[in-house]
Amino acid sequence: AQSVTQLDSQVPVFEEAPVELRCNYSSSVSVYLFWYVQYPNQGLQLLLKYLSGSTLVESINGFEAEFNKSQTSFHLRKPSVHISDTAEYFCAVSMGGTSYGKLTFGQGTILTVHP
Amino acid sequence: EAGVAQSPRYKIIEKRQSVAFWCNPISGHATLYWYQQILGQGPKLLIQFQNNGVVDDSQLPKDRFSAERLKGVDSTLKIQPAKLEDSAVYLCASSLVQGGNTQYFGPGTRLTVL
């Protein structure tokens, strides 16, 4: 079975500081990896995803994540955060076979950006 | 393009009552998912449909939960009877195809069971 661990439940940071949200997964087969963001009172939105190819993937608003197969990690980073980045972030994994398409989520990391 | 629609947005019921949630996926999306998100946890898949057939319902508590997707478009998730531990946000998502394709989520229905 696949599982996802988000190592930090809350991450407070000051505006314009860098941030890293950590995500580790366990799976014995190839996986697809995702980061979703949930702003207050809104639904989940896809931030970025890794399916294949380059291990570094980027979002349109400055976030990036690197797939590290040897460490089974998919950490999310941003070099300089804004107040508007305050939200809850979820890492998720999907794999092939009979579970094709099913997303398994981590418990979420609440990012709070302070002025 | 319209997103995934869900109703109602909020529902408060007493335990042992029944409740139903409705989801309308993005037009043309063959795959539909229902997730349960308990406060402080990540979403957990309850059931996955491919068109009007069930692909995965292994985590659906079938003694009280049921779901259908008639005609392969809209879907309804029902709980009967509800328990206190069913208090959660119920999320509907859809995707064009299974697998790595992006899942688009609706705003969710927040259920409170008293």
Side-chain angles (χ1 to χ4, degrees):
Chain A
Q2 59 197 23
S3 66
V4 178
T5 302
Q6 291 184 241
L7 297 163
D8 307 290
S9 59
Q10 297 191 51
V11 174
V13 65
F14 286 107
E15 194 173 17
E16 297 184 5
V19 70
E20 178 180 78
L21 307 183
R22 297 178 292 168
C23 172
N24 285 93
Y25 69 93
S26 66
S27 174
S28 57
V29 298
S30 296
V31 296
Y32 302 132
L33 293 157
F34 305 80
W35 276 99
Y36 280 84
V37 58
Q38 189 171 34
Y39 298 103
N41 298 316
Q42 295 187 28
L44 287 162
Q45 302 173 33
L46 180 70
L47 189 60
L48 48 75
K49 62 184 178 182
Y50 170 78
L51 304 182
S52 64
S54 173
T55 57
L56 183 66
V57 291
E58 299 177 352
S59 72
I60 58 172
N61 58 351
F63 283 94
E64 65 178 30
E66 186 162 18
F67 169 54
N68 188 319
K69 188 174 181 179
S70 63
Q71 298 190 3
T72 61
S73 69
F74 191 55
H75 301 331
L76 182 69
R77 301 183 182 94
K78 189 171 186 180
S80 176
V81 294
H82 300 130
I83 297 287
S84 59
D85 293 324
T86 293
E88 189 161 18
Y89 293 78
F90 291 93
C91 181
V93 62
S94 170
M95 63 183 190
T98 57
S99 298
Y100 199 52
K102 170 184 174 179
L103 284 175
T104 299
F105 285 86
Q107 291 190 312
T109 298
I110 297 173
L111 173 65
T112 304
V113 181
H114 299 284
Chain B
E1 178 182 80
V4 176
Q6 290 187 249
S7 68
R9 290 295 310 277
Y10 305 91
K11 190 73 176 179
I12 300 174
I13 62 173
E14 304 216 340
K15 60 183 179 182
R16 291 188 290 273
Q17 287 187 320
S18 63
V19 65
F21 313 127
W22 173 82
C23 172
N24 181 237
I26 292 173
S27 177
H29 281 196
T31 311
L32 185 146
Y33 311 80
W34 282 102
Y35 290 87
Q36 179 192 57
Q37 185 178 15
I38 293 172
L39 187 64
Q41 299 181 19
K44 181 186 80 173
L45 180 72
L46 292 175
I47 189 167
Q48 176 182 346
F49 291 95
Q50 180 70 15
N51 296 309
N52 60 351
V54 176
V55 175
D56 184 347
D57 64 356
S58 57
Q59 298 193 88
L60 186 74
K62 298 180 185 65
D63 58 333
R64 298 183 300 107
F65 285 65
S66 64
E68 60 183 9
R69 191 183 184 198
L70 300 176
K71 301 181 182 178
V73 182
D74 293 8
S75 178
T76 303
L77 176 69
K78 297 180 182 177
I79 307 175
Q80 183 179 9
K83 293 185 175 181
L84 296 177
E85 59 261 36
D86 297 332
S87 293
V89 176
Y90 291 85
L91 297 166
C92 180
S94 69
S95 65
L96 200 55
V97 295
Q98 289 180 259
N101 206 273
T102 301
Q103 291 186 27
Y104 296 87
F105 284 80
T109 296
R110 183 177 298 277
L111 174 66
T112 302
V113 182
L114 303 176

